[in-house]
């Protein structure tokens, strides 16, 4: 049985973009998980006014409009604050390379201790599910999302749901190292192959 008190500092993150390629950030959420519990009291959530308009498709996905975001600060005004909250903690996200890539593009001096991907973890934990998307995992695990902020496809909601899934799946492993072996994508910070070898 997992002893959650052995986990390092970890933040479940989610970002939403404006639909351009590469994306400009319009929302970032960072939710700490401590001792197997979601610490909403110290979570970070930021709306951002992007330098380029939000595409109609992106607005249909997350519901954030150019009008709403016009009142939000620009990234340069909050980037130090976001960097300060993330620090050097582990991060976790669903399909984590997307969020990791977006955050590192916007925070060039930031480097997490490691990256947990709940998509990869779900494939290791739950064999033969028809889908490993966030909606399918919510349906399978049935986490309590009654206190989740906002709605699906907003960064705060998706980070909350992902954190619940992480804790549920984490309880299927005996140690943090076992979870890391199952959940850190190759080449991402936190993989065992980062250790120097003699060869």
């Amino acid at each position: 049985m997992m002893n959650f008190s052995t986990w390092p500092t970890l933040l479940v993150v989610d970002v939403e973009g404006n639909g351009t390629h590469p994306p400009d950030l319009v929302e970032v959420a960072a939710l700490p998980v401590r001792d197997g519990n979601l610490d909403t009291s110290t979570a970070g959530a930021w709306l951002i006014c992007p330098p380029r308009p939000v595409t109609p498709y992106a607005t249909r996905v997350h519901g954030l409009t150019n009008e709403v975001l016009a009142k939000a600060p620009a990234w340069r005004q909050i980037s130090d604050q976001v960097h300060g909250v993330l620090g050097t903690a582990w991060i976790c996200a669903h399909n984590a390379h997307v969020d990791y890539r977006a955050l590192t593009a916007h925070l060039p001096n930031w480097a997490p201790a490691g990256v947990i991907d709940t998509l990869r973890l779900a494939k290791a934990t739950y064999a033969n599910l028809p889908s490993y998307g966030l909606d399918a995992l919510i349906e399978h695990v049935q986490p309590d999302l009654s206190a989740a902020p906002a709605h699906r496809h907003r960064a705060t909601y998706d980070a909350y749901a992902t954190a619940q899934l992480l804790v549920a799946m984490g309880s299927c492993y005996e140690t943090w190292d076992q979870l890391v072996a199952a959940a850190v994508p190759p080449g991402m910070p936190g993989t065992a192959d980062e250790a120097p070898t003699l060869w």
Side-chain angles (χ1 to χ4, degrees):
M1 189 68 179
M2 176 65 75
N3 177 2
F4 286 99
S5 68
T6 63
W7 285 25
T9 304
L10 182 143
L11 295 152
V12 179
V13 300
D14 190 74
V15 304
E16 300 298 333
N18 66 337
T20 61
H21 295 284
D24 298 319
L25 297 178
V26 297
E27 189 177 27
V28 175
L31 176 60
V33 174
R34 293 191 172 94
D35 293 331
N37 297 302
L38 284 56
D39 184 4
T40 54
S41 67
T42 61
W46 300 269
L47 288 178
I48 301 127
C49 181
R52 294 173 290 179
V54 180
T55 65
Y57 173 78
T59 294
R60 281 197 298 275
V61 172
H62 50 54
L64 293 168
T65 64
N66 289 302
E67 291 71 30
V68 167
L69 295 168
K71 304 180 188 77
W75 176 249
R76 68 179 180 280
Q77 295 173 272
I78 62 160
S79 59
D80 286 350
Q81 186 183 358
V82 176
H83 195 170
V85 169
L86 295 176
T88 56
W90 280 74
I91 63 161
C92 168
H94 197 69
N95 206 9
H97 71 277
V98 174
D99 302 82
Y100 176 72
R101 189 182 300 145
L103 286 168
T104 50
H106 285 79
L107 294 170
N109 297 318
W110 166 71
V115 178
I116 296 283
D117 183 1
T118 47
L119 176 62
R120 184 177 179 87
L121 181 61
K123 289 179 178 178
T125 310
Y126 307 123
N128 304 316
L129 291 187
S131 168
Y132 291 93
L134 200 55
D135 290 318
L137 289 172
I138 290 169
E139 182 69 26
H140 181 74
V141 178
Q142 299 283 310
D144 179 5
L145 299 177
S146 58
H151 55 79
R152 178 75 174 91
H153 294 297
R154 285 289 301 275
T156 48
Y157 183 101
D158 289 2
Y160 189 97
T162 301
Q164 292 276 37
L165 294 171
L166 172 66
V167 171
M169 291 188 284
S171 64
C172 299
Y173 294 81
E174 290 188 8
T175 67
W176 167 255
D177 288 345
Q178 286 179 351
L179 180 105
V180 163
V184 177
M188 284 281 192
T191 49
D193 58 19
E194 286 186 314
T197 66
L198 297 174
W199 309 103

